[in-house]
Amino acid sequence: MSNQYTIAIHGGAGNLLEDRFSQEDKEEYYQVLEDALSKGYSCLEEGSSSLEAVCVSIAILEDSPLFNAGRGSVFSSKGTIEMDASIMDGKELRAGAVTCLKNIKNPIYAAKKVLENCDHVLLSGEGALSFCKEKKLNMQPDEYFFTEKRWEQLVEARKEGKVFLDHSDSVGTVGAVALDGEGNLAAGTSTGGLTNRVWGRCSDSSQIGSGNYANNKTCAVSCTGTGDDFIRSVLAYDLSAIVEYKNLSLAESSKLALEKLKQLGGNGGLIALNSKGELSLDYISKGMFRGQKSKKEGCKVGIFSEFLERK
């Protein structure tokens, strides 16, 4: 057993404009990030697995209307809420994912159920929903997921005939990476997708290797940003491969992976963690909602260049 347990989270990265955030706005986000970190870290302290800690932290972000996942998900072109999530175990390379999922309160737990109780990695749409009902996961009516802000974003997107990343003055995909007392890594990612996206669109957050990856030998990664570019670059696995084959540090590998994304025209960021407890919370966008907690470093949260110590 080790006490080097560590957890990191993100709540989306993109072209966030700092002048649109008052100090009160920032504090509201900080509080949710801190709560998610504290609950996940407590799981690790109590001896829970990195998989469970990742789920606990992500579920708190999914429950907040501030983030584009779970309750705060954005609307598709048809005015529906379709959520994606994935999770991966770095010890045995087990993985589970769901896409185009409706009415499940916490999609990250749906992904975990797939990992634990299904012969397949990725379930979609009605099949995924049927599986969740069978496993008696918490369901909520459409009204639970409705927020006025998200509906206004859809109305604006329809007027302009565009698909919007939810990164202008709010946030996108959420995720977490964790290292437990057994030295095992895990990574999870959850999202509500893109505003006004084509019905049935699958994000990188549901695709192992693109928005999410974990391997005890290399690192655990959760990504956020322009999802289709993350899919084309297979960024999460690419980072793991850079660590493995180039023998670079996690920080160096993260920068290289993001530079390749930038050259492809992509934008966003990632959080990564290795079995030594080393972290990289890096982004090429204007900001990324992020936080980390460990015994050595304490609890820190940030949005832009600041990275603040918390209790």
Side-chain angles (χ1 to χ4, degrees):
M1 291 288 292
S2 167
N3 66 354
Q4 296 304 309
Y5 24 78
T6 303
I7 191 162
I9 60 175
H10 69 75
N15 292 322
L16 301 165
L17 303 178
E18 188 166 4
D19 60 4
R20 293 191 181 183
F21 290 83
S22 67
Q23 190 55 44
E24 291 76 15
D25 292 334
K26 291 181 181 179
E27 186 60 30
E28 190 175 8
Y29 285 108
Y30 293 156
Q31 287 293 338
V32 180
L33 291 171
E34 183 181 339
D35 187 29
L37 285 169
S38 296
K39 295 290 175 50
Y41 188 78
S42 292
C43 281
L44 297 172
E45 283 188 309
E46 294 164 4
S48 294
S49 70
S50 52
L51 278 171
E52 183 58 27
V54 160
C55 286
V56 167
S57 289
I58 289 178
I60 290 172
L61 301 177
E62 289 176 332
D63 289 345
S64 170
L66 293 176
F67 298 94
N68 178 19
R71 190 175 191 180
S73 295
V74 298
F75 289 93
S76 73
S77 59
K78 288 194 173 183
T80 57
I81 297 291
E82 300 174 15
M83 301 168 288
D84 293 1
S86 63
I87 193 166
M88 188 165 183
D89 162 33
K91 181 182 180 180
E92 299 178 350
L93 305 188
R94 297 178 300 152
V98 289
T99 186
C100 301
L101 182 65
K102 298 178 181 179
N103 297 110
I104 298 300
K105 181 174 182 286
N106 295 115
I108 192 62
Y109 278 114
K112 186 169 181 281
K113 283 294 184 183
V114 173
L115 180 153
E116 295 171 336
N117 298 285
C118 187
D119 293 331
H120 310 296
V121 171
L122 175 61
L123 299 182
S124 68
E126 291 301 316
L129 182 59
S130 178
F131 174 84
C132 290
K133 290 178 179 178
E134 178 185 317
K135 299 305 176 185
K136 303 187 185 308
L137 291 177
N138 191 335
M139 294 187 64
Q140 295 294 330
D142 292 343
E143 292 76 21
Y144 170 84
F145 300 94
F146 180 90
T147 59
E148 193 64 37
K149 180 178 181 180
R150 299 307 192 198
W151 186 257
E152 290 173 358
Q153 288 175 340
L154 175 62
V155 171
E156 185 64 24
R158 283 172 168 172
K159 285 181 180 178
E160 298 188 27
K162 295 180 179 179
V163 175
F164 286 165
L165 275 173
D166 183 39
H167 298 321
S168 56
D169 58 359
S170 52
V171 294
T173 303
V174 305
V177 293
L179 171 67
D180 63 29
E182 298 290 340
N184 295 318
L185 295 168
T189 313
S190 180
T191 190
L194 306 174
T195 299
N196 202 33
R197 67 194 177 282
V198 173
W199 174 74
R201 180 255 184 183
C202 301
S203 74
D204 63 309
S205 298
S206 65
Q207 299 186 39
I208 299 299
S210 295
N212 184 38
Y213 194 75
N215 186 333
N216 281 3
K217 295 179 180 179
T218 54
C219 57
V221 191
S222 178
C223 304
T224 175
T226 51
D228 293 285
D229 296 316
F230 280 78
I231 294 171
R232 291 193 292 150
S233 61
V234 200
L235 191 135
Y237 177 74
D238 196 31
L239 172 52
S240 173
I242 292 170
V243 171
E244 183 173 5
Y245 301 127
K246 281 188 171 289
N247 198 30
L248 297 176
S249 71
L250 192 62
E252 292 172 322
S253 300
S254 296
K255 290 189 180 301
L256 182 54
L258 287 172
E259 180 58 33
K260 292 169 69 176
L261 177 74
K262 185 177 181 180
Q263 292 173 4
L264 194 63
N267 190 22
L270 59 85
I271 55 174
L273 170 66
N274 65 21
S275 58
K276 297 177 183 178
E278 296 170 340
L279 281 162
S280 177
L281 285 66
D282 204 357
Y283 55 96
I284 54 174
S285 51
K286 292 182 179 179
M288 181 169 75
F289 289 73
R290 63 200 186 277
Q292 66 182 61
K293 188 168 185 177
S294 67
K295 184 174 182 180
K296 181 180 179 180
E297 298 289 337
C299 182
K300 299 178 181 178
V301 297
I303 305 173
F304 302 102
S305 60
E306 83 289 354
F307 209 40
L308 308 175
E309 295 275 1
R310 303 292 279 190
K311 62 182 180 180

